[in-house]
Amino acid sequence: MNARPAQRVSPPSLFAKRWEEIGSDVVGGTPEEFDALVLSEAERLGGIIRNLGIQLD
């Protein structure tokens, strides 16, 4: 199930080229790897937000 979407974002697709133009790394992976990435980024960015005292109005 993951193979077909992964083919769409595999270079040299237009999708991948566009994201690379704006400075993003396009990589494939499993749903579990994506889940781990989202969790680690939420933890990392949450820490920055807390340390800076950023709050929603």
Side-chain angles (χ1 to χ4, degrees):
M1 191 159 138
N2 189 43
R4 189 172 183 144
Q7 289 172 345
R8 290 189 181 144
V9 297
S10 296
S13 75
L14 181 60
F15 177 87
K17 287 179 183 177
R18 179 65 188 121
W19 280 100
E20 289 170 352
E21 287 173 4
I22 61 173
S24 293
D25 294 325
V26 178
V27 297
T30 66
E32 293 80 14
E33 290 169 329
F34 181 67
D35 185 49
L37 172 66
V38 170
L39 291 173
S40 70
E41 286 297 286
E43 184 176 327
R44 181 180 71 86
L45 295 172
I48 292 170
I49 290 167
R50 283 187 295 278
N51 287 340
L52 294 174
I54 297 173
Q55 297 180 358
L56 290 175
D57 288 335

